[in-house]
Amino acid sequence: MSAKIPVGVLGATGMVGQHFLRFLANHPWFEVTWAGASDRSAGKKFRDATSWRLDGVMPESVAGLTVEECKPGNAPKLVFSATDASVATEIEQAFAGAEHVVVSNSRNHRMESDVALLVPEINADHLAIAAAQRARRGWKGLIVTNPNCSTVVLTMALAPLRQFGITRTVVTTMQAISGAGYPGVSSMDINANVVPFIGGEEEKVEIETQKILGGFEQGAFVPHPMRVSAHCNRVPVLDGHTATISVELSSEPPEQELIAAFAAFRGVPQERNLPSAPAVPVIYMPEKDRPQPRRDVERERGMAVFCGRLRTCPVFGYKFIALGHNTVRGAAGAAVLNAELMKTEGLLD
Amino acid sequence: MSAKIPVGVLGATGMVGQHFLRFLANHPWFEVTWAGASDRSAGKKFRDATSWRLDGVMPESVAGLTVEECKPGNAPKLVFSATDASVATEIEQAFAGAEHVVVSNSRNHRMESDVALLVPEINADHLAIAAAQRARRGWKGLIVTNPNCSTVVLTMALAPLRQFGITRTVVTTMQAISGAGYPGVSSMDINANVVPFIGGEEEKVEIETQKILGGFEQGAFVPHPMRVSAHCNRVPVLDGHTATISVELSSEPPEQELIAAFAAFRGVPQERNLPSAPAVPVIYMPEKDRPQPRRDVERERGMAVFCGRLRTCPVFGYKFIALGHNTVRGAAGAAVLNAELMKTEGLLD
Amino acid sequence: MSAKIPVGVLGATGMVGQHFLRFLANHPWFEVTWAGASDRSAGKKFRDATSWRLDGVMPESVAGLTVEECKPGNAPKLVFSATDASVATEIEQAFAGAEHVVVSNSRNHRMESDVALLVPEINADHLAIAAAQRARRGWKGLIVTNPNCSTVVLTMALAPLRQFGITRTVVTTMQAISGAGYPGVSSMDINANVVPFIGGEEEKVEIETQKILGGFEQGAFVPHPMRVSAHCNRVPVLDGHTATISVELSSEPPEQELIAAFAAFRGVPQERNLPSAPAVPVIYMPEKDRPQPRRDVERERGMAVFCGRLRTCPVFGYKFIALGHNTVRGAAGAAVLNAELMKTEGLLD
Amino acid sequence: MSAKIPVGVLGATGMVGQHFLRFLANHPWFEVTWAGASDRSAGKKFRDATSWRLDGVMPESVAGLTVEECKPGNAPKLVFSATDASVATEIEQAFAGAEHVVVSNSRNHRMESDVALLVPEINADHLAIAAAQRARRGWKGLIVTNPNCSTVVLTMALAPLRQFGITRTVVTTMQAISGAGYPGVSSMDINANVVPFIGGEEEKVEIETQKILGGFEQGAFVPHPMRVSAHCNRVPVLDGHTATISVELSSEPPEQELIAAFAAFRGVPQERNLPSAPAVPVIYMPEKDRPQPRRDVERERGMAVFCGRLRTCPVFGYKFIALGHNTVRGAAGAAVLNAELMKTEGLLD
């Protein structure tokens, strides 16, 4: 008999679902007791329904679960949603309508005016929208979302600089293949190549960033007024999205002050010592050629964002590099941290 | 008995030198008859002095040459310089002082106030500095240079837009490993990785661009006033530097006008039908995910620059992708095109 | 009005079909005038029906063709088959029954007792089965096949050694991703990885090799009695299958004799100077670390097989390396060379 | 005050040395208190003398050590040798002569008739040579070695089959770039390529295997009589050497018996529960396409060897795949396991 909080994963057999299962293995608060997938998997043992695509092997703890259909009923109160965008709207709303707390990695509800798009270090206060969401939708449950994997890297890197007045930013991402799932990117497309296009990605980075870094006033989200331009590219890297960032500030602090701001940055997850919170959420690396995805992305269990090379930008004043783990900090880990925050807010009771 | 112009290559046994030899094989005007290298190679047959590092095999036409020291004397009048920056200043000046025309790929003289930094499609008029250089330095010879491999891509992509008044640009490069020579980048550094730093590269892109796109007035170079900010990265690609470019123009033409400007762009090499000139120097690709280095870089013998994805930029008005072959258009091919231009100007007589 | 022989391609819009179209562009004897594909493409222009997946761009000569269904009727007499194995049996037999000469790259008919499995340098005499095939099947047309892409490399490398009496061989392949078509191998499977399994490949290499190197006596194929064991692996290489080969011979020639045998090897395509025949079909490289797929595979238009590192094997007497271009010599180029041979045999009249 | 056994690392600043430091961080028995390197590093803090080349960051525990020259004196009794082959003979003998126990990863002494070449699961009994070595050389210290990184994979995979009488084996390796150290393999050589040659590697695999799997009788090593032929290749993989193995046995057990033998295999390290010993030293994977280097190499802390795809070989009876971590099980981890074994034998007292 576990004293842990039972949780379910919607879309558990897919690649994002597998990331959830791996990240949640041995979690101190949560235990996966329920796995939802499509009709054709329902009824099978998880080990039989699933081709394990992640490096290493399937966690023993979930191999024996019986896969369920993605319908509320016998699922635990807390469910993580790794469902595909094509079905996420319907599934997530069905669960939220049936008293479930849905902590979603899907893009479908992120930009809704009554749904929190959370990065707990940055905008934990946005959770306050929950009451309005329930009231407006007539739900007893709740939907909370985390951002696109590239947006997390950018917002975590910009959050420490908000105090200096961000006015404009131009970001170019070099994104890992794991961001596209499985089979995802064909090796014929990406081997020794760059693909300078990822469908819908630039738009997501541009609008999600404004929502996350924006305020929450009088019960409504107020987007940050900064202008954001994103160039999104796929590169032959396994895990970790790297971003080059030029940023314009309304003040002109010396560079050392920005570096100090990265290092000093902390948020609610650190204050409350949440289990998945990195001790230092933004790690500034002084080496001239870091961070690098293959060398740094697994540090801090993939939950920190790494910055480096802060220097003057002839156009915008400042430029630097940022890196984050797209399937951890940008997906499964992000959602789990959201759930941890929600627990400490009493939203899982 | 060849009717071709005999040419020499300084630093012929190195990787850049090998690119020259391959590009010059079967050239209709030039024939490599002289190969210069370091003391320890001098006196050997080229095939014995050289580990051929390029794909395929050494051109038969140069295998039997006897390697010479990099000193003027029996070298042909026209020499291409592929010498390392650590020795290029001295060697190139010695040849120019001894009546040789040095067409150099080295960075050493690029930013000198009396040396042309040429991209023949863009600033053929800069060649007029030759007289001043000879007068000032007391040389009967001449030094002419081509830009850094990333600069070529950026300047070729911006040149068609100059007419709209370029005020600011932010560029992020994703550069091929061949740009670092041999052995160059360790596989332990770049396999499945991004290295967000290339020593000296960003500075070169920023200042060379202004010189190339600038004017030549009253016998002096006038840098273009645009502000340029570069982020330079190494990615696991063999050949071809890809760049994401955000650009601010002083006018606000519709996007289609910019695309038309790319397609309409021509320069002196096209007018004169120079042997190494691409028929269309800037090729705009309408596909949503092109250009791509592995798929496009070898087209047009590596001499064209490819652009794509022109779209609005929330920060600067316009953004797009550019791609060019770093060891051809960005090195050996660039220098050979310079020499072809110089021949038509009578500078090789 | 072309004087060339019109040809069709079955399965023209797929990746293998595209390889055929690229290889046939500018062919001196053949001209693609007909492109067959699935129902859903039929009626469209080729350029509209096809996502071009090969590096570079679609040949202009085929872009304007109207795609037809894969049914005999208005197709030219000679058709190349790039159809998927799931439909190749039916389609190819329909064409052969309707007087077409089907030169197929599909595996379906390769091991039939009345179908030639050709490598023209090795077993051009196997074409004599044609009469028996027509008689037995009641066809006025004909089906001829080329081997699996790995088999071509192995058989071309072993053919020069047949004279020494091959008794056993153990081969390990390291195969390029292009062998799996498009999208083919997921980048999540092969990036910085080896996949030590390719479905059905080892069996094909083992039995096809015996048929090809075997004889044709009294109207029947007599498999070569050698024993063949294959280990097939996928590696992150774009084009070119590399093989390590240990071989046991019934005689014990000195190593230099084997090297001389590689160099001296010629076949009917060389004697008849067929347009796609490499001048030297097996090129032995003396360098200690060659051949290598990326560096050598494009030489000789991809039609030669490269060997190297012949040395003593403590187990079998001899071991060496072989390399061939899987989509050229191992697919499209192989079939075209077959057709060229057939033309000189009068089989296309 | 640590209760752990202090240890030194010879060649600590190099890449192999760094692997030792990382593997020894948090070791329950050993603690690195001494780091030896070349003259030019001596006297500096380790963090200043060393460019950390492994993924992640330098262990804090060694960053503050003062680097010493590689001379006996103040070094701890137990030293691990990661010295380069060019200097290992002299350095290791100097330490062994000065009462140090040298547990070496270098190749220099491996094939000496009085030096143990250990794989503790296989030939722990070979340690008995220690007395003879000391007597013959007049040393109070001792040198013990571990095999080449490819040899470990092959011998661990063959050891469970020894009971069936191994007569011949043909092995082809596909080796990771990390095996060549830093900078090691140029990216220009290995990006999207295979290099079918690794200097000296095939010879090492062939002779080391016979010594390790051989016996120790009447005070002397008796090489195993099996014949071994190796084909060694470099592939673009980061960590993990994969091998295809064909093996001939003097008996003809059913395949299932071999699979059972892999699974049942245990050695002295497992019996004694040594800290670095994997619970199951040879893990047989039933999946049709495993093991794979990127997906499996990090399991079991890199100390197990993975086998798969056991099937009949038309030439030799049996064939299968093996995989091991070249820098852990094939280098640092191997040496540490040797030292653990030696401690339990009282050889460190």
Side-chain angles (χ1 to χ4, degrees):
Chain A
M1 221 103 49
S2 166
K4 294 184 184 176
I5 300 170
V7 305
V9 175
L10 301 168
T13 58
M15 193 129 179
V16 179
Q18 295 182 22
H19 282 292
F20 270 103
L21 297 175
R22 187 165 68 175
F23 192 84
L24 285 165
N26 306 312
H27 191 279
W29 293 358
F30 303 135
E31 177 173 16
V32 177
T33 60
W34 190 95
S38 65
D39 296 5
R40 70 171 188 285
S41 296
K44 296 181 188 169
K45 290 291 175 196
F46 186 79
R47 69 162 61 83
D48 301 323
T50 307
S51 290
W52 189 254
R53 300 295 183 188
L54 307 190
D55 293 353
V57 292
M58 183 184 293
E60 264 311 301
S61 55
V62 298
L65 292 180
T66 299
V67 177
E68 311 270 346
E69 283 189 76
C70 277
K71 292 182 183 164
N74 64 350
K77 173 159 187 170
L78 173 61
V79 292
F80 292 100
S81 173
T83 48
D84 188 76
S86 61
V87 296
T89 302
E90 192 179 356
I91 290 174
E92 295 181 359
Q93 294 190 4
F95 274 82
E99 307 197 16
H100 291 276
V101 173
V102 181
V103 180
S104 173
N105 181 57
S106 299
R107 69 162 189 263
N108 303 46
H109 294 95
R110 282 181 197 153
M111 294 306 299
E112 302 279 306
S113 65
D114 60 352
V115 175
L117 176 58
L118 281 187
V119 178
E121 280 88 349
I122 302 175
N123 65 347
D125 59 319
H126 286 203
L127 255 184
I129 198 75
Q133 182 190 118
R134 284 171 167 155
R136 179 180 155 205
R137 309 235 186 190
W139 290 344
K140 294 193 176 166
L142 184 65
I143 295 178
V144 165
T145 65
N146 59 266
N148 171 277
C149 49
S150 298
T151 307
V152 175
V153 179
L154 180 62
T155 54
M156 287 283 282
L158 290 180
L161 310 183
R162 240 189 325 185
Q163 59 188 296
F164 304 109
I166 304 171
T167 50
R168 295 197 280 187
T169 187
V170 175
V171 58
T172 291
T173 64
M174 294 170 280
Q175 300 187 212
I177 55 177
S178 60
Y182 187 89
V185 184
S186 165
S187 60
M188 291 302 295
D189 284 332
I190 202 64
N191 185 285
N193 201 18
V194 167
V195 178
F197 174 73
I198 301 173
E201 193 84 356
E202 296 173 349
E203 296 77 2
K204 283 184 236 169
V205 171
E206 291 170 2
I207 60 171
E208 294 179 7
T209 297
Q210 292 173 319
K211 179 170 180 178
I212 293 163
L213 290 173
F216 183 70
E217 295 170 20
Q218 299 178 308
F221 301 121
V222 182
H224 193 288
M226 84 173 84
R227 284 156 75 186
V228 184
S229 178
H231 302 253
C232 293
N233 305 278
R234 190 77 67 192
V235 293
V237 161
L238 269 165
D239 290 310
H241 290 354
T242 308
T244 68
I245 301 171
S246 276
V247 64
E248 184 184 62
L249 304 176
S250 57
S251 60
E252 291 186 15
E255 294 165 46
Q256 274 312 120
E257 229 171 280
L258 270 63
I259 292 174
F262 286 133
F265 180 69
R266 298 290 185 279
V268 175
Q270 285 73 38
E271 288 163 19
R272 297 186 188 169
N273 202 20
L274 300 181
S276 300
V280 177
V282 178
I283 296 179
Y284 185 85
M285 301 187 70
E287 292 85 349
K288 69 178 179 185
D289 60 357
R290 298 288 273 270
Q292 296 175 10
R294 203 195 68 220
R295 288 192 162 119
D296 295 308
V297 79
E298 298 293 343
R299 293 169 57 195
E300 309 297 320
R301 297 185 61 222
M303 287 300 287
V305 164
F306 298 87
C307 291
R309 292 198 72 211
L310 187 94
R311 59 208 190 280
T312 55
C313 171
V315 167
F316 270 170
Y318 308 92
K319 54 184 172 182
F320 63 102
I321 309 291
L323 165 75
H325 197 308
N326 54 298
T327 69
V328 178
R329 185 70 211 208
V336 173
L337 188 62
N338 283 353
E340 292 169 3
L341 173 69
M342 292 166 75
K343 180 177 182 300
T344 63
E345 294 283 326
L347 282 163
L348 304 187
D349 301 334
Chain B
M1 223 103 49
S2 166
K4 293 183 185 176
I5 299 170
V7 304
V9 175
L10 302 169
T13 58
M15 193 131 181
V16 179
Q18 295 182 20
H19 281 293
F20 271 101
L21 297 175
R22 185 164 69 175
F23 192 83
L24 286 166
N26 307 311
H27 192 279
W29 293 358
F30 304 135
E31 178 174 12
V32 178
T33 61
W34 190 95
S38 64
D39 297 5
R40 69 172 188 285
S41 296
K44 297 182 188 169
K45 290 290 174 194
F46 185 79
R47 72 162 59 83
D48 301 323
T50 307
S51 291
W52 190 254
R53 301 295 183 189
L54 308 189
D55 293 355
V57 291
M58 183 184 295
E60 264 311 301
S61 56
V62 297
L65 292 181
T66 299
V67 177
E68 311 270 346
E69 283 188 75
C70 276
K71 293 182 182 162
N74 64 349
K77 173 158 187 171
L78 173 60
V79 292
F80 293 100
S81 173
T83 48
D84 189 76
S86 60
V87 295
T89 302
E90 191 180 358
I91 290 174
E92 295 181 359
Q93 294 191 2
F95 274 81
E99 307 197 19
H100 291 277
V101 173
V102 180
V103 181
S104 174
N105 181 57
S106 300
R107 71 165 187 261
N108 302 47
H109 294 95
R110 284 181 197 152
M111 294 306 297
E112 302 279 306
S113 64
D114 59 353
V115 175
L117 176 58
L118 281 188
V119 178
E121 281 88 349
I122 302 175
N123 65 346
D125 59 318
H126 286 203
L127 256 185
I129 199 74
Q133 183 189 117
R134 283 170 168 157
R136 180 180 156 206
R137 308 233 185 192
W139 290 345
K140 294 193 177 166
L142 184 66
I143 295 177
V144 165
T145 65
N146 60 266
N148 172 276
C149 49
S150 298
T151 307
V152 174
V153 179
L154 180 61
T155 54
M156 287 283 282
L158 290 180
L161 309 183
R162 240 190 324 185
Q163 59 188 295
F164 303 109
I166 305 171
T167 49
R168 293 197 281 186
T169 188
V170 174
V171 57
T172 291
T173 64
M174 294 170 279
Q175 301 188 211
I177 54 175
S178 59
Y182 187 90
V185 184
S186 166
S187 61
M188 291 302 295
D189 284 331
I190 202 65
N191 186 286
N193 202 19
V194 168
V195 177
F197 174 72
I198 301 174
E201 193 84 354
E202 296 174 349
E203 294 77 2
K204 283 184 236 170
V205 171
E206 292 170 3
I207 60 169
E208 294 179 7
T209 297
Q210 293 173 320
K211 179 171 182 179
I212 293 163
L213 290 173
F216 182 70
E217 295 170 19
Q218 299 178 309
F221 301 121
V222 183
H224 194 289
M226 85 173 85
R227 284 156 74 185
V228 184
S229 178
H231 302 253
C232 293
N233 305 278
R234 190 77 67 190
V235 294
V237 162
L238 269 165
D239 291 309
H241 291 354
T242 307
T244 69
I245 301 171
S246 276
V247 63
E248 184 183 60
L249 304 176
S250 56
S251 61
E252 291 186 14
E255 294 165 46
Q256 274 312 119
E257 230 171 281
L258 270 61
I259 292 173
F262 286 133
F265 181 69
R266 297 291 183 280
V268 175
Q270 285 73 38
E271 288 163 18
R272 298 187 187 169
N273 203 21
L274 300 183
S276 300
V280 178
V282 177
I283 296 178
Y284 185 85
M285 301 188 69
E287 292 85 351
K288 71 177 179 185
D289 60 357
R290 298 288 272 269
Q292 296 175 11
R294 203 196 67 221
R295 288 191 163 120
D296 296 308
V297 78
E298 298 292 344
R299 294 170 58 196
E300 308 298 319
R301 298 185 60 223
M303 287 300 288
V305 164
F306 299 87
C307 292
R309 294 198 70 211
L310 187 95
R311 58 207 192 280
T312 56
C313 171
V315 166
F316 270 168
Y318 308 93
K319 54 184 172 182
F320 63 101
I321 310 291
L323 165 74
H325 197 306
N326 53 299
T327 68
V328 179
R329 185 70 211 208
V336 173
L337 189 61
N338 282 355
E340 292 169 1
L341 173 68
M342 292 166 75
K343 178 176 182 302
T344 64
E345 294 284 326
L347 284 162
L348 304 187
D349 301 334
Chain C
M1 223 107 47
S2 165
K4 293 184 184 176
I5 300 170
V7 305
V9 175
L10 302 168
T13 58
M15 193 130 180
V16 179
Q18 295 183 20
H19 281 293
F20 270 102
L21 297 174
R22 186 166 67 173
F23 192 83
L24 285 165
N26 306 312
H27 191 279
W29 293 357
F30 304 135
E31 178 173 14
V32 178
T33 61
W34 190 95
S38 65
D39 296 5
R40 71 173 186 285
S41 297
K44 297 181 188 168
K45 290 290 174 197
F46 186 79
R47 70 163 60 83
D48 301 322
T50 307
S51 291
W52 189 254
R53 300 296 183 189
L54 308 190
D55 294 354
V57 292
M58 184 183 294
E60 265 311 300
S61 55
V62 298
L65 293 179
T66 299
V67 177
E68 310 270 348
E69 284 188 76
C70 277
K71 292 181 181 162
N74 65 350
K77 172 158 186 171
L78 173 60
V79 293
F80 292 101
S81 173
T83 48
D84 189 76
S86 61
V87 296
T89 302
E90 191 180 356
I91 290 174
E92 294 181 358
Q93 294 190 2
F95 274 81
E99 307 197 17
H100 291 277
V101 173
V102 180
V103 180
S104 173
N105 181 57
S106 299
R107 70 163 188 263
N108 303 47
H109 294 95
R110 283 182 197 151
M111 295 306 297
E112 301 280 305
S113 65
D114 60 352
V115 175
L117 177 57
L118 281 188
V119 179
E121 280 88 349
I122 302 175
N123 64 348
D125 59 319
H126 286 204
L127 256 184
I129 199 75
Q133 183 190 117
R134 284 169 166 156
R136 179 180 156 204
R137 309 236 185 188
W139 290 345
K140 294 193 177 165
L142 184 65
I143 295 178
V144 165
T145 64
N146 60 266
N148 170 276
C149 49
S150 298
T151 306
V152 175
V153 179
L154 179 61
T155 53
M156 288 282 282
L158 290 180
L161 310 183
R162 239 190 326 185
Q163 59 189 295
F164 304 109
I166 304 171
T167 50
R168 295 197 280 187
T169 188
V170 175
V171 58
T172 291
T173 64
M174 294 170 279
Q175 301 188 210
I177 55 177
S178 60
Y182 187 90
V185 184
S186 165
S187 60
M188 291 301 295
D189 284 331
I190 202 65
N191 186 287
N193 201 17
V194 167
V195 178
F197 174 73
I198 301 174
E201 193 84 355
E202 296 173 349
E203 295 77 2
K204 282 184 237 170
V205 172
E206 291 169 3
I207 60 171
E208 294 180 6
T209 297
Q210 292 173 319
K211 180 171 181 179
I212 294 163
L213 290 172
F216 182 70
E217 296 170 17
Q218 300 179 310
F221 301 122
V222 183
H224 193 288
M226 86 173 82
R227 285 156 74 185
V228 183
S229 178
H231 302 253
C232 292
N233 305 279
R234 191 76 67 191
V235 293
V237 161
L238 269 164
D239 290 309
H241 291 354
T242 307
T244 68
I245 301 172
S246 276
V247 63
E248 184 183 61
L249 303 176
S250 57
S251 61
E252 291 185 16
E255 294 164 47
Q256 274 313 117
E257 230 171 280
L258 270 62
I259 292 174
F262 286 133
F265 181 69
R266 297 291 184 279
V268 175
Q270 285 73 37
E271 288 163 17
R272 297 185 187 171
N273 203 20
L274 299 181
S276 300
V280 178
V282 178
I283 296 178
Y284 185 84
M285 301 187 70
E287 292 86 351
K288 70 178 180 186
D289 60 357
R290 297 289 272 269
Q292 296 175 10
R294 203 196 68 220
R295 288 191 163 120
D296 295 309
V297 78
E298 298 293 342
R299 294 169 58 194
E300 308 297 319
R301 298 184 60 222
M303 287 300 287
V305 164
F306 298 87
C307 292
R309 292 198 73 210
L310 187 95
R311 59 208 191 280
T312 56
C313 171
V315 166
F316 270 169
Y318 309 92
K319 55 184 172 181
F320 64 102
I321 310 291
L323 163 75
H325 197 306
N326 54 300
T327 68
V328 179
R329 185 70 210 207
V336 173
L337 189 62
N338 282 354
E340 292 169 1
L341 174 68
M342 293 165 75
K343 180 178 182 300
T344 63
E345 295 283 327
L347 283 163
L348 304 187
D349 301 334
Chain D
M1 221 102 51
S2 165
K4 293 184 184 177
I5 299 170
V7 304
V9 175
L10 301 169
T13 58
M15 193 131 180
V16 179
Q18 295 182 21
H19 281 293
F20 270 102
L21 297 175
R22 186 165 69 175
F23 192 83
L24 286 165
N26 306 313
H27 192 279
W29 293 358
F30 303 135
E31 178 174 13
V32 178
T33 61
W34 190 95
S38 64
D39 297 3
R40 69 171 188 284
S41 296
K44 296 182 188 168
K45 289 290 174 194
F46 185 79
R47 70 162 59 83
D48 301 322
T50 307
S51 291
W52 189 254
R53 300 295 182 188
L54 308 189
D55 293 354
V57 291
M58 183 184 294
E60 264 311 302
S61 55
V62 297
L65 292 181
T66 299
V67 177
E68 310 270 346
E69 283 188 76
C70 277
K71 293 181 181 163
N74 64 350
K77 173 158 187 170
L78 173 60
V79 292
F80 292 100
S81 173
T83 48
D84 188 76
S86 61
V87 295
T89 302
E90 191 180 357
I91 291 174
E92 295 181 359
Q93 294 190 2
F95 274 81
E99 306 198 17
H100 291 277
V101 173
V102 181
V103 180
S104 173
N105 181 57
S106 299
R107 70 164 188 263
N108 303 46
H109 293 96
R110 282 180 197 154
M111 294 305 298
E112 302 278 305
S113 64
D114 59 352
V115 175
L117 176 58
L118 282 187
V119 179
E121 280 88 349
I122 302 175
N123 65 347
D125 59 318
H126 286 203
L127 256 184
I129 199 74
Q133 183 190 117
R134 284 171 167 156
R136 180 181 154 204
R137 309 236 186 189
W139 290 344
K140 293 193 177 167
L142 184 65
I143 295 177
V144 164
T145 65
N146 60 265
N148 171 276
C149 48
S150 297
T151 306
V152 175
V153 179
L154 179 61
T155 53
M156 287 283 281
L158 290 180
L161 309 183
R162 237 187 331 183
Q163 59 187 295
F164 304 109
I166 304 171
T167 50
R168 293 197 283 186
T169 188
V170 174
V171 58
T172 292
T173 64
M174 294 170 279
Q175 301 187 211
I177 55 176
S178 60
Y182 187 90
V185 184
S186 166
S187 60
M188 291 302 295
D189 285 331
I190 202 64
N191 186 285
N193 201 18
V194 168
V195 177
F197 174 72
I198 300 174
E201 193 84 356
E202 296 174 350
E203 295 77 1
K204 283 184 236 171
V205 172
E206 292 170 1
I207 59 170
E208 294 179 6
T209 297
Q210 292 173 319
K211 179 171 181 179
I212 293 163
L213 290 173
F216 183 69
E217 295 170 20
Q218 298 178 308
F221 301 121
V222 183
H224 193 288
M226 85 173 83
R227 283 156 75 185
V228 183
S229 178
H231 302 254
C232 293
N233 305 278
R234 190 77 67 190
V235 294
V237 161
L238 269 165
D239 290 310
H241 291 354
T242 307
T244 69
I245 300 172
S246 276
V247 64
E248 184 183 61
L249 304 176
S250 55
S251 61
E252 293 186 13
E255 294 165 46
Q256 274 313 118
E257 229 170 281
L258 270 62
I259 292 174
F262 286 133
F265 180 69
R266 297 291 184 280
V268 175
Q270 285 73 38
E271 289 164 18
R272 298 187 187 168
N273 203 19
L274 300 182
S276 300
V280 178
V282 178
I283 296 178
Y284 186 84
M285 301 188 70
E287 293 85 351
K288 71 178 177 184
D289 60 357
R290 296 289 272 268
Q292 296 175 10
R294 202 196 67 221
R295 287 191 163 119
D296 296 308
V297 78
E298 297 292 343
R299 294 169 58 196
E300 309 296 321
R301 299 184 60 223
M303 288 299 287
V305 164
F306 299 87
C307 292
R309 294 199 70 213
L310 187 94
R311 59 207 191 282
T312 56
C313 172
V315 166
F316 270 168
Y318 308 92
K319 55 184 172 182
F320 64 101
I321 309 291
L323 165 73
H325 197 307
N326 53 298
T327 68
V328 179
R329 185 70 210 208
V336 173
L337 189 62
N338 282 354
E340 292 168 3
L341 173 69
M342 292 165 76
K343 179 178 183 300
T344 63
E345 294 284 326
L347 283 163
L348 304 187
D349 301 334

